[in-house]
Amino acid sequence: MMQVIANGIVAGAGYALFALGFGLVHSTGRFFHMAHGGSYVVGAYLTYVLVSKVGLSSLVGGCGGVLGGAVLGAMMEIAVFRPLRRRNASREGMFLAALGLMVCIQNGVSLVFGDQPVVLRTASVEPGMLFLGARITNVQVCIVATCIAAAASAWIGLQKTNLGMRIRAVASSHELATVYGLRPEAILLLVMVCASALGSLAGILSGFDTDLTPSMGFYAQLMGVAASIVGGIGSVRGSLLGGFMVGLVQHLGVWKLPTQWQEAIVFALVAVCLCIRARGFLRTNWGTKD
Amino acid sequence: MSRRGWIGVVVAAAVVILLVTYFWNRSHYVQGEGKELSIGAVFDLTGSLSYMGQWSLEGAKLAEQEVNEAGGIGGRPIRLLIEDAETNPQKAATILRRFISVNKVPLVIGFNGSSEVMASAPIANKERVVLFSTGAASPHITAAGDYVFRNRLSGALEAGKMAEIAFGMLELRTGMILYIKTDYGEGYAQAFRNRFIELGGNVVAVETFQQGQTDFRAQLSKVTQAQGIEFVYLASHVREAAGILRQAREQDVSQRWLASNAIEAPELFEIAGEAAEGVILTVAKYAPNDPYAKEFNRVYRDVYGRDSEMFAAHAYDAVKLLAEKIEEVGYDSDRIRDALYEVRGYRGVSGTTSFDENGDVIKPVATKIAQNGRFVEIPESRIHEYK
Amino acid sequence: MDYLLHVLVLFFLYAILTTSLDLLVGHSGLLSIAHAGLYGIGAYAAAIVSTHFDISFLGSVAIAMLAGVLVSFCISLPSRGLKGDYFAVLTFALQMVLFHLLNGWDRLTGGPLGISGIPAPAVFGAELDTLAETTLLFASCAGVVFALSRNVATSPFGRVLHALREDEGLTQSLGKHTYRVTIQVCAMSGAFAALAGALYSHYITYVDPTGFTVVESILILAMVILGGPGTILGPIIGAISLVSLAEALRFIGIPASEAASLRQIVYGLALIAIVFLRPRGLARA
């Protein structure tokens, strides 16, 4: 039982980390960043190349991957999202463009690396540490720790710093922010870079935990969106809550049911949340943060 | 240009493209005096079964080359028309239709995925074209039709053999089945389960996972939950199997693992490392060091730089066998079909091939164990040592 | 000749799918990523009733369409007040659930092994043996769907849809029941998608879940968007373009193993390009 809960928490941490970046972009940029999974998969593969082919250590390779993912995010912002925003694109338009980007990135990875899985494992496969009756590996501890650390830094950054205040201002209203002398476009770029860094971090950790395939980004995207919807998009608290809820539902849900319904349960949950939210749609604040 | 204009351009372009490619294709591949004898080849070069498709392609091309270097058939070279089915049954069926109506081939090989065969078989049977699968395993294919053949062992036989070994030689009585929710997994799991229960064994639980899944911890919790099991039968592709084995070790789930053939690939050790040690699997017998295969493997290694796999050998045999039949009875699908049903004891590189009345083959099944980073065959007489 | 007829059949199937999706996306402003799921429901419904219960072709098509309508209620009934991309995410989630149902509910659907041996189409007892007859049948169905959709688009009901697309709040304030309208248009769209599914089943005589994934939904959506949502001919153009593109890319000398990924990349780029061309929304009056 403890093992099931531990599994759920680890999975949830991964989803939460993804949802964190996703939510950041949503509240400032006002759209569903369906290509967030792109940073996830590119970061992971870049780390793979750096560690396995170039021979760098996991830490350095990981940093390289994070950097790569962040750069990709910046490129997406500058080449696609910013111009679309300038042309007054609608939310659906941005959604579709992001979806298109995701398709391109995933297939690009597939072209370069092929569809078969690659491994980013550096140590031998050993039983994990025993903790309160559950076994968890070092990488898994890392995932949970990173998630908490990222969430904490994000929260502190947004609430306590000047920059954070500016970001929240932009999230609240682009127009007003401009009036007050802030430059929304620069802020949005910064947010995108940070969010993509988080996204690729999630991908890299997942790569160490299991393995890498081109479709890992898409899967993470599905779960990340689920986590955001369930927990509430756009707040740090929401991302954490959503992520852990999805992780736990996924694992506890199949405690008694056949495991093949793992994913279906999550999506059913997402659908239900959306429908419930729809009722209170007009009353909820979608744009502002904590 | 106005909107109307653009619409016109697009439609015209589409029509032109289709017509051009249709006629270009036809002019290149139509049969005639002195021209090539074409054999259609539908492989999964992308998608989840791409590794299989790639090997099959390599084997088939080797055979094509050898046949042509030896003078072809009556002086005419054979030619493989190679297409990618993308591990997608509709695409496979579309390609088959094109081969039939545009290229007018009487024989098509490949079709690694069982659902590809199922989608294409009705067309092959209706149009009287021989569909020769070099890799599909589903038991359903046995009844797929008169024109459908395969030189790969039905999964039912491999899985059934595993059940027999588990019950008879390893003396296991109670177990659990964990399989991948695809046509491959479904076929193997059912076959194992039926045979094991038939023998008197007990299957306590059956769980599944999705293709492409990476986190199997929920499934492993089920393994821990299952009472009194002595083994888990894992019917899966290599990537998922490796993930399961790895995570099982990380969670200290100690069970005996029996597996289906698909896990036999180097990735298993790459991904699962030590966790893969001790897994026993059954697989249609193929070893590059077998007397039949040695020479083939040597050539294969020269050309491709690594050892050959079963699917390459099957594809190679398919091309060679079909070439032989074309030479014997002519380039006609009905006659080739009849000739195939007569095949008994054809010595190919993938072993001895004989077709039964369903177009299935009977081939020996080997038992292997994952040991020290390699798959080692266990002779029948010694399997009981692993109790 | 058979091959060209086969491509035509595929085109008519996709034309029905794109036209029905366009009712939602182009005319009503409802971005749906569940269309392949509805397609699948129709295909499986037809497959199940014709193999297990020996129902005739026309009967199975009718039942399939009914199933499409019922499942579309799962999308439209609970989604009152859901806007634009939230609605899209809902359909996304439902698509995944539908796929898992088709893949997982072995008893009913055969799971990954699918259902084979579906009888060929037969109209009033006369079985359609030749490809030409089948093509004709599909062409007529596509024609009917097209005509009905055009009718709807130009009718008063269609005008309400367009108003809904532009501004739901305003439409409501003018006294139109947007909720009811949404349910109706979803039902129509679902029925047509299911029709395409039933036709597909009887044509290929084998169904398996892999043809009804979210990727397929995105493909159909891409066709609609590329062709021009909200226009009469748009869905048709989209269907022609992508069906022939898929076949044409085969012939050009790209190594087969790369072709699939390259094709997907082309779709992705095209999607982005279209958004650049029409940033303000999917439709233009």
Side-chain angles (χ1 to χ4, degrees), chain B residues 3 7 10-11 14 17-19 21-22 24-25 45-46 54 83-84 86 89-91 93-95 97-98 101-102 115 118-119 122 126-127 138 140 179 181-183 186-187 190 210, chain C residues 1-4 6-7 10 99-100 103-104 106 112-113 116 129 131 200 203-206 208 210-211 227-228 231 233-234 237 240-241 244 247-248 250-251 256-258 260 263 278:
Chain B
R3 204 183 153 71
I7 292 175
V10 168
V11 174
I17 288 175
L18 266 177
L19 285 176
T21 49
Y22 172 79
W24 177 85
N25 214 271
L45 300 173
T46 52
Q54 194 56 41
E83 291 290 343
D84 178 8
E86 299 170 34
Q90 288 101 301
K91 298 220 160 78
T94 304
I95 296 171
R97 277 211 195 273
R98 178 147 52 89
S101 61
V102 177
S115 36
M118 297 307 289
K126 182 135 186 251
E127 305 293 333
S138 170
H140 289 216
Y179 71 97
K181 198 76 177 153
T182 63
D183 48 7
E186 198 75 44
Q190 275 180 22
Q210 304 294 334
Chain C
M1 194 53 203
D2 266 9
Y3 167 65
L4 283 181
H6 173 74
V7 175
L10 283 182
F99 172 78
H100 280 288
N103 201 36
D106 299 337
L113 293 173
S116 60
D129 326 309
L131 199 46
Y200 168 85
Y203 176 59
I204 306 266
T205 72
Y206 168 73
D208 77 321
T210 63
T231 62
L233 284 179
I237 310 249
I240 295 183
S241 316
S244 52
E247 293 305 310
R250 255 187 233 296
F251 290 116
S257 54
E258 334 251 279
R263 197 169 64 232
R278 299 162 153 268

Side-chain angles (χ1 to χ4, degrees), chain A residues 3-4 7 10-11 15 115-121 123-129 135-137 139-140 206-213 215-216 219 250-251 254-263, chain B residues 45-51 178-179 181 206-210 212-219 221-222 224-225 238-240 242-243 245-247 249-252 267-275:
Chain A
Q3 184 71 61
V4 173
N7 293 340
V10 172
Y15 304 147
D115 282 332
Q116 295 308 316
V118 292
V119 192
L120 194 54
R121 186 164 48 81
S124 61
V125 179
E126 292 291 336
M129 309 172 293
R135 291 243 172 223
I136 44 179
T137 62
V139 177
Q140 290 180 310
S206 165
F208 277 111
D209 188 33
T210 54
D211 57 21
L212 295 83
T213 52
S215 53
M216 68 193 285
Y219 180 76
Q250 208 181 18
H251 282 88
V254 292
W255 179 236
K256 291 299 169 199
L257 290 173
T259 48
Q260 68 175 3
W261 302 112
Q262 246 181 332
E263 252 184 48
Chain B
L45 300 173
T46 52
S48 52
L49 293 182
S50 58
Y51 64 97
L178 185 56
Y179 71 97
K181 198 76 177 153
V206 178
E207 289 291 336
T208 65
F209 49 92
Q210 304 294 334
Q213 198 170 317
T214 50
D215 184 343
F216 302 99
R217 302 186 173 110
Q219 281 77 3
S221 302
K222 294 283 187 172
T224 348
Q225 270 183 305
V238 64
R239 178 211 179 182
E240 289 83 1
L245 290 170
R246 175 183 173 178
Q247 287 165 25
R249 187 167 161 86
E250 285 171 359
Q251 299 214 326
D252 208 22
E267 283 90 354
L268 187 72
F269 299 108
E270 275 169 31
I271 299 176
E274 297 85 342

Side-chain angles (χ1 to χ4, degrees), chain A residues 21-98:
Chain A
F22 182 80
L24 272 171
V25 174
H26 182 271
S27 38
T28 51
R30 310 267 181 73
F31 71 103
F32 280 119
H33 182 25
M34 297 308 280
H36 196 50
S39 308
Y40 186 92
V41 64
V42 166
Y45 270 88
L46 194 54
T47 305
Y48 164 72
V49 168
L50 290 173
V51 170
S52 304
K53 306 287 182 189
V54 178
L56 300 174
S57 76
S58 305
L59 197 56
V60 177
C63 290
V66 171
L67 207 57
V71 166
L72 179 67
M75 279 164 57
M76 288 195 280
E77 170 69 21
I78 296 174
V80 178
F81 299 131
R82 182 184 288 181
L84 281 179
R85 212 174 282 120
R86 285 192 184 156
R87 285 172 170 70
N88 254 319
S90 65
R91 288 185 66 125
E92 293 98 323
M94 302 281 270
F95 176 87
L96 285 172

Side-chain angles (χ1 to χ4, degrees), chain C residues 40 43-44 47-48 109 111-116 118 197 200-202 204-209 212:
Chain C
Y44 268 88
I48 293 170
T109 67
L113 293 173
I115 300 178
S116 60
I118 303 168
Y200 168 85
S201 276
H202 286 282
I204 306 266
T205 72
Y206 168 73
V207 283
D208 77 321
F212 310 111

Side-chain angles (χ1 to χ4, degrees), chain A residues 10 51 60 70 75 119 122 132 142 170 191 246 271 277:
Chain A
V10 172
V51 170
V60 177
M75 279 164 57
V119 192
T122 47
L132 291 182
C142 212
V170 169
V191 168
V246 169
R277 287 281 175 74

Side-chain angles (χ1 to χ4, degrees), chain C residues 83-241:
Chain C
K83 298 296 175 60
D85 45 1
Y86 286 97
F87 181 81
V89 175
L90 174 66
T91 59
F92 206 72
L94 287 171
Q95 164 68 44
M96 303 301 295
V97 172
L98 281 171
F99 172 78
H100 280 288
L101 281 174
L102 292 178
N103 201 36
W105 198 348
D106 299 337
R107 278 288 179 73
L108 192 61
T109 67
L113 293 173
I115 300 178
S116 60
I118 303 168
V123 184
F124 300 124
E127 202 179 274
L128 270 57
D129 326 309
T130 70
L131 199 46
E133 288 172 357
T134 314
T135 313
L136 214 52
L137 172 68
F138 279 39
S140 347
C141 289
V144 167
V145 169
F146 180 72
L148 283 174
S149 304
R150 186 158 176 277
N151 231 321
V152 166
T154 49
S155 72
F157 180 76
R159 285 198 285 278
V160 176
L161 291 178
H162 295 160
L164 177 62
R165 174 186 70 202
E166 300 305 329
D167 190 331
E168 181 169 0
L170 185 59
T171 317
Q172 274 180 322
S173 73
L174 291 173
K176 299 297 173 190
H177 297 149
T178 53
Y179 186 41
R180 196 193 301 165
V181 161
T182 307
I183 296 177
Q184 287 169 331
V185 73
C186 281
M188 194 174 178
S189 172
F192 289 150
L195 168 65
L199 289 174
Y200 168 85
S201 276
H202 286 282
Y203 176 59
I204 306 266
T205 72
Y206 168 73
V207 283
D208 77 321
T210 63
F212 310 111
T213 61
V214 67
V215 175
E216 184 74 13
S217 274
I218 295 180
L219 176 69
I220 302 172
L221 185 62
M223 286 185 194
V224 171
I225 307 244
L226 289 175
T231 62
I232 301 300
L233 284 179
I236 308 290
I237 310 249
I240 295 183
S241 316

